[in-house]
Amino acid sequence: MDKNSDYRTNIIGAGEVGSAISVDMDKNSIHKTNSIFWDTKGNEVLGATALPLYGAFVSEEKCHLFGDVSGKKILEIGCGSGQSLQYLGDRKASELWGMDLSEKQIEKTKHHLTSCGLSATLICSPMEEECGIPEDYFDFVCSIYAIGWTTDLEGTFCRIASYLKKDGVFIFSWSHPIHKCVVAENNILAFKKCYFDESWYSVSLDEDTLTLSDRKLSTYVNALSKAGFVIEQMIEQSDDEIMQSRDDNSDFAKKAKMLPVTFVIKARKL
């Protein structure tokens, strides 16, 4: 498919969603569009992915990437509605911090954590920008299905590295780039997008609009390396036990048996 086509197949979450229209990369415009999306119907349209799940069919309870977090200081990038911070707080993390682009998501996180008897320092800001988060402070930084919203991957990873102590751990998950290229049609998996196409695109979902870029896996790996991280573990295979327990016969589940739909990386700051 022509990478310069104005219209192309777009895949978000479990399946094909609308038509993607190529757009110019303008950081401020993208931030505004995506913050409005999450302030309004983001959760209703895309749902929310939170620990113990890293994404479809991948779980912390099986992978054990965090290990014991008791007494640890943890920052979440893209804290959403607060369920991941709750999961970590229930496991006795000493400090919880959260950042999100959307003011409404920050409000949801605060309300949810308060109702669970937990507290956190919450900051509304794009993840790319300086926002007062302390440096060389955290034991863990995590991002569950949020890091892909950044407009500056290398800059974001450098900021995250600055927040971590030496040997601190960064764990993040996102939609696998191969999943974003392939759709299920009549029991056949078909490529509908070029894997190497990292251009920005806009998608209209009913009355809502979001803007994204689908990066190659090597783009994430190389950006981590430039920011001073070493990758300790990468997970991209769906968990058979989770799939069997859900007895899911959807096209998405069938697809997940054939190719990765989520990837998770655990990296350590050198």
Side-chain angles (χ1 to χ4, degrees):
M1 187 174 183
D2 182 1
K3 67 176 287 186
N4 295 316
S5 175
D6 286 338
Y7 294 88
R8 64 184 185 220
T9 296
N10 181 68
I11 300 168
I12 296 176
E16 186 174 341
V17 181
S19 296
I21 304 173
S22 297
V23 297
D24 293 332
M25 197 296 188
D26 179 273
K27 181 177 69 173
N28 293 331
S29 176
I30 291 169
H31 286 165
K32 182 178 180 180
T33 297
N34 290 338
S35 64
I36 291 173
F37 175 75
W38 285 106
D39 278 344
T40 53
K41 296 183 179 180
N43 290 121
E44 295 176 24
V45 175
L46 296 184
T49 301
L51 292 172
L53 291 177
Y54 284 108
F57 315 122
V58 183
S59 171
E60 166 64 15
E61 295 177 348
K62 185 70 174 287
C63 301
H64 305 296
L65 298 181
F66 278 93
D68 182 10
V69 299
S70 59
K72 304 299 184 181
K73 300 172 182 175
I74 302 177
L75 164 66
E76 182 180 13
I77 306 295
C79 56
S81 299
Q83 289 93 341
S84 291
L85 287 175
Q86 178 205 341
Y87 179 86
L88 298 165
D90 288 344
R91 282 150 184 79
K92 310 303 180 185
S94 63
E95 284 188 36
L96 299 175
W97 290 59
M99 169 198 285
D100 203 283
L101 177 67
S102 163
E103 291 183 1
K104 292 294 185 182
Q105 296 292 77
I106 290 291
E107 291 173 8
K108 289 180 180 179
T109 296
K110 183 177 180 179
H111 178 76
H112 179 71
L113 293 179
T114 299
S115 69
C116 297
L118 297 168
S119 62
T121 301
L122 302 174
I123 298 171
C124 185
S125 172
M127 64 184 81
E128 305 91 328
E129 297 180 2
E130 196 285 322
C131 59
I133 292 177
E135 297 185 353
D136 301 309
Y137 188 77
F138 295 94
D139 301 289
F140 289 94
V141 175
C142 65
S143 181
I144 312 303
Y145 253 71
I147 206 71
W149 294 91
T150 182
T151 59
D152 178 5
L153 189 68
E154 289 187 12
T156 296
F157 282 174
C158 286
R159 286 203 181 278
I160 289 170
S162 74
Y163 302 148
L164 284 163
K165 300 175 182 177
K166 186 180 184 302
D167 294 323
V169 171
F170 175 35
I171 299 171
F172 73 94
S173 66
W174 186 245
S175 183
H176 199 288
I178 285 291
H179 162 53
K180 302 283 281 183
C181 297
V182 178
V183 297
E185 292 181 342
N186 302 319
N187 293 319
I188 295 175
L189 296 179
F191 267 84
K192 288 297 187 75
K193 175 184 177 294
C194 175
Y195 176 82
F196 304 107
D197 181 4
E198 296 186 316
S199 61
W200 286 86
Y201 59 87
S202 180
V203 181
S204 294
L205 306 174
D206 296 327
E207 298 178 355
D208 302 290
T209 302
L210 58 84
T211 304
L212 285 169
S213 168
D214 299 327
R215 301 175 176 94
K216 305 185 300 290
L217 205 55
S218 59
T219 300
Y220 289 98
V221 171
N222 292 332
L224 284 168
S225 178
K226 288 182 180 179
F229 286 102
V230 59
I231 295 174
E232 293 193 341
Q233 193 169 353
M234 176 177 167
I235 297 164
E236 59 177 356
Q237 185 167 350
S238 299
D239 186 277
D240 288 337
E241 291 183 9
I242 297 176
M243 299 181 75
Q244 291 172 8
S245 68
R246 295 182 182 179
D247 193 26
D248 189 343
N249 291 315
S250 66
D251 285 342
F252 179 61
K254 293 175 183 177
K255 180 179 176 182
K257 293 178 181 179
M258 298 294 292
L259 55 80
V261 295
T262 293
F263 77 96
V264 191
I265 289 180
K266 177 180 179 179
R268 189 175 298 276
K269 177 182 175 180
L270 294 174

